[in-house]
Amino acid sequence: MILPGFPELPGSPGFRELPVEDRELSPCTGYTRAHWEAVADGLLRAAWRWATPHGALLDLPGRPSASGVRSDGLEGYARTFLAAAFRVAGDGGKDPYGWLERYADGLAAGTRTPGRDDAESWPLIRDVHVDGQPMVESASVALGLRLTRPWLWDRLDGAVQDRAEEWLRGALRHVPAPNNWYLFPFTVAGFLESVGRGDARTALVRRRATDLLEGWYRGQGWYADGDGRAFDHYNGWALHLYPVLDAHLADCVGAHAPHGERLRAHLDGFSLLFGADGAPVHFGRSLTYRFAAASAVGLGAVTGHTPLTPGTSRRLLSGSLRYFLDRGAVGADGLLSLGWHGPHAPTLQAYSGPASPYWASKAFVCLLAPQTHPLWTATEEAAPSEGPDRVLALPVPGLLVQSTRADGIVRLHNHGSDHVGPDEAEAAADDDPLYGRAAYSTRTGPTARGNTPDNHLAVVVAGIRSVRRRIHPLGAGHGDGWGWAASWHRPVFPSGTPTVPGLRVESVTVVRGRHELRVHRVQGAPDGALVEQTGWATGPEEPLVSVLHPLHGWGAQDETRAPAGTAFTAWACLPRLTTRVEGTGLYAALAVLTGAPDPAPPATAVTEVTVDDGSVEVRWADDGSHTRITFGTLSVDHLREG
């Protein structure tokens, strides 16, 4: 297999062609440790084509982030340094392509006159609200230096070490964002202490971050990303990675023992969130980091804090890496593009710059396991999503996971994770496609702003569709072959539209096999309002079936288009149900997303629907069991015949 555009640097041997696949050791992906090394080298080689003369900044081509091109250049240096550091440290310091020499030269040049507007100087680290992005990159620089200390830091001139320390200490003196950012000064302080440069300030910022983590930990291996209810991929590539790797590098078993056990608990459920094709669930922000989603899997294997076998861990890691390489994440120029498969603007945030995708470097933490480690010597095993159909409820984050073996799709039903800070008003807010939808999957992405939202229950008032912002979980659970999750939200409307007083939506999702029973109770709807329910958005080139079958309360049924498409397809359509509502209404529908050939129509899955005052009962055709959902004091029961 040849990756496009992996160019050579002068004096460095080429690595255009990946090693031959090993289908005996890796029957699922064909990838070995050598493939990971080759990809790391290829990505580094392509990025270094865009370095400044002394290597302090890597000014990759593309649209600048909101932080500006100088910060973006530092991002290019810092994030690729992570990949190089994992690559060299995992091979015991062997550096056949001289990566560390390049980064040492760049460190010396970048810290010589920080803040100066010239070709090499690094931007200063400041508060989050004042050009704060360099604080993020300081953690990657510090971690890279800690990983490679014997071969880079210890060989630096003392004056360069002093300058580097002074620049890094900017992260200790300034204000982070109120979320995982507190782990960036934590990581900087950990490095400074590891090289004998700790003091009261380093101890303070480490204690502060650790205390915050305790407050953000909610159980079941899940941290909130700050004081709100943002549960997403930042759990793995930040909130678990930094403290667990810090303890591992310090060989500190006792001080951070809770973090290792939490990583183990996290992987027990998170490992199901990768499809049979290797894709992580497309959910939450910063998805352009791509295979970094698997970094927690690699970290667990390296540190031993994992419930997964080595063969399963490698299957998830290599499956995710290969998924993106096979689908064009690396462009013809050898660079990771800003997007998902290839370039995709709606996947991005304002802070996304040309080098942002290189936080994917965190996945190369797996290279800290040497060639003889079981992660690389064990035979690959099937991913959790490749086993029998699974339903997993995660009540702490309010998530319900549904995987089906026939098509390898994993679906995530969101009844608890949003991106609304506790001090942030939810009214007058725009749609947030990456958090506000009721369901996400490994084969579909949310429709873009301005298009009809997929997997959404909207109240439409005066022609304006409501959005779902702050999500209040009501519970979740699972049994043998089925599961449920529930939440309520206050429908709010885009900027400039008044809030409707008393308007409230309660939502319940029940899953069995590939079927999703979606039940909603709308309260306080004004005269003339509509209720609209949509299903999964799919494109014409995808072998997927998306159906939304009305069971109770719905009037009209049609399909609507999303011309802006999703991260998976350039153009999409989605099923839709609508009806008039005034006051209180109860609505039920059956949704299906499947890639299985010739699926049975959803209409045949249910034989009877009974609606009483505040409750819905559905009888299933396959075994005669029935599900009863009662609102008010919410209860969800699934009873089998006999």
Side-chain angles (χ1 to χ4, degrees):
M1 173 185 175
I2 296 178
L3 295 180
F6 272 16
E8 297 182 18
L9 278 174
S12 298
F15 229 139
R16 283 183 51 82
E17 189 168 346
L18 287 179
V20 175
E21 295 180 4
D22 186 339
R23 289 289 174 175
E24 182 174 343
L25 182 63
S26 303
C28 302
T29 69
Y31 276 21
T32 64
R33 194 178 191 277
H35 289 80
W36 280 85
E37 293 174 336
V39 172
D41 289 328
L43 292 174
L44 289 167
R45 189 169 299 109
W48 268 91
R49 293 178 60 207
W50 304 97
T52 51
H54 295 287
L57 305 171
L58 272 61
D59 294 321
L60 306 187
R63 67 157 221 191
S65 73
S67 299
V69 295
R70 182 168 297 274
S71 177
D72 294 344
L74 171 63
E75 191 171 72
Y77 174 95
R79 297 189 179 196
T80 59
F81 184 25
L82 264 187
F86 287 133
R87 167 78 170 95
V88 175
D91 207 13
K94 295 178 183 178
D95 187 11
Y97 307 118
W99 297 127
L100 296 192
E101 183 179 354
R102 296 176 185 274
Y103 286 101
D105 290 345
L107 180 73
T111 58
R112 186 169 289 114
T113 53
R116 180 179 293 180
D117 185 11
D118 58 29
E120 303 285 349
S121 295
W122 286 356
L124 295 170
I125 301 172
R126 296 176 176 170
D127 293 346
V128 60
H129 58 282
V130 185
D131 301 323
Q133 185 65 30
M135 185 181 292
V136 181
E137 311 321 319
S138 71
S140 293
V141 172
L143 185 52
L145 291 172
R146 188 173 183 181
L147 287 161
T148 62
R149 175 183 175 179
W151 315 289
L152 198 165
W153 177 263
D154 289 349
R155 299 180 182 182
L156 289 175
D157 180 82
V160 177
Q161 291 180 337
D162 292 344
R163 296 202 311 262
E165 177 187 356
E166 176 57 26
W167 182 82
L168 287 167
R169 280 187 174 271
L172 312 185
R173 296 190 293 263
H174 288 88
V175 179
N179 54 19
N180 69 87
W181 277 45
Y182 275 84
L183 292 172
F184 304 145
F186 168 90
T187 301
V188 168
F191 163 67
L192 293 175
E193 291 181 353
S194 74
V195 294
R197 294 179 178 238
D199 57 16
R201 171 61 66 173
T202 62
L204 175 66
V205 299
R206 285 173 64 78
R207 184 167 60 251
R208 174 62 170 152
T210 301
D211 289 346
L212 285 171
L213 274 180
E214 291 306 302
W216 294 339
Y217 185 68
R218 306 298 172 82
Q220 291 186 291
W222 287 86
Y223 292 95
D225 188 14
D227 288 342
R229 289 196 55 85
F231 300 98
D232 52 31
H233 286 296
Y234 274 86
N235 264 269
W237 61 43
L239 295 158
H240 282 292
L241 186 139
Y242 289 111
V244 174
L245 189 54
D246 173 80
H248 177 71
L249 294 176
D251 196 21
C252 182
V253 177
H256 299 293
H259 300 130
E261 290 307 307
R262 292 170 186 174
L263 174 60
R264 181 186 298 272
H266 179 66
L267 291 173
D268 195 43
F270 179 72
S271 59
L272 187 59
L273 294 180
F274 293 83
D277 57 4
V281 169
H282 193 279
F283 170 64
R285 64 192 178 95
S286 302
L287 292 172
T288 195
Y289 303 160
R290 296 180 172 102
F291 44 86
S295 58
V297 177
L299 179 65
V302 166
T303 63
H305 298 301
T306 181
L308 307 173
T309 65
T312 301
S313 294
R314 191 167 82 257
R315 166 69 179 100
L316 294 173
L317 283 160
S318 293
S320 183
L321 177 65
R322 179 157 195 164
Y323 173 84
F324 288 108
L325 295 183
D326 286 351
R327 288 163 178 79
V330 176
D333 56 3
L335 299 175
L336 284 169
S337 62
L338 280 163
W340 183 244
H341 293 160
H344 185 247
T347 291
L348 310 178
Q349 284 72 48
Y351 55 77
S352 302
S356 293
Y358 286 83
W359 244 32
S361 295
K362 292 184 173 186
F364 293 99
V365 68
C366 64
L367 288 178
L368 293 182
Q371 182 66 50
T372 56
H373 193 282
L375 178 64
W376 307 113
T377 60
T379 302
E380 268 186 352
E381 301 176 42
S385 62
E386 294 177 293
D389 290 1
R390 287 276 304 276
V391 177
L392 175 66
L394 298 168
V396 166
L399 304 176
L400 179 65
V401 186
Q402 170 194 19
S403 73
T404 46
R405 183 175 186 175
D407 49 25
I409 299 175
V410 177
R411 306 154 192 82
L412 180 68
H413 304 278
N414 179 25
H415 286 272
S417 176
D418 59 44
H419 200 234
V420 185
D423 59 344
E424 183 179 351
E426 62 176 322
D430 293 327
D431 177 34
D432 188 346
L434 299 172
Y435 292 90
R437 308 296 163 77
Y440 299 84
S441 86
T442 56
R443 293 284 296 277
T444 65
T447 54
R449 288 185 178 93
N451 283 201
T452 302
D454 62 298
N455 291 320
H456 182 56
L457 189 287
V459 180
V460 185
V461 178
I464 301 175
R465 182 184 287 118
S466 71
V467 298
R468 177 181 183 237
R469 290 278 285 155
R470 196 182 304 278
I471 302 171
H472 305 266
L474 293 174
H478 63 256
D480 184 14
W482 77 286
W484 67 277
S487 61
W488 73 271
H489 74 277
R490 181 177 294 106
V492 295
F493 296 86
S495 300
T497 305
T499 299
V500 178
L503 184 59
R504 172 184 169 114
V505 173
E506 296 167 312
S507 303
V508 180
T509 303
V510 177
V511 300
R512 297 179 76 244
R514 63 170 174 262
H515 296 105
E516 310 159 32
L517 174 62
R518 301 180 180 183
V519 181
H520 306 274
R521 182 169 71 161
V522 177
Q523 296 175 291
D527 182 31
L530 286 171
V531 178
E532 175 190 74
Q533 168 78 74
T534 55
W536 297 94
T538 59
E541 72 275 18
E542 300 172 301
L544 295 172
V545 174
S546 171
V547 181
L548 191 60
H549 176 67
L551 295 177
H552 174 78
W554 297 107
Q557 180 177 11
D558 67 357
E559 281 193 339
T560 183
R561 298 183 172 199
T566 72
F568 294 76
T569 179
W571 182 95
C573 66
L574 50 153
R576 176 172 60 179
L577 305 173
T578 55
T579 195
R580 293 279 176 187
V581 62
E582 181 181 354
T584 297
L586 201 56
Y587 309 95
L590 203 61
V592 168
L593 170 71
T594 182
D598 301 320
T604 64
V606 171
T607 60
E608 184 180 0
V609 179
T610 303
V611 178
D612 298 323
D613 184 26
S615 70
V616 176
E617 185 169 316
V618 170
R619 185 172 295 274
W620 301 94
D622 57 351
D623 60 2
S625 63
H626 58 273
T627 299
R628 184 175 181 85
I629 299 166
T630 303
F631 291 95
T633 302
L634 181 73
S635 65
V636 181
D637 301 295
H638 185 72
L639 304 175
R640 300 184 184 278
E641 290 292 286

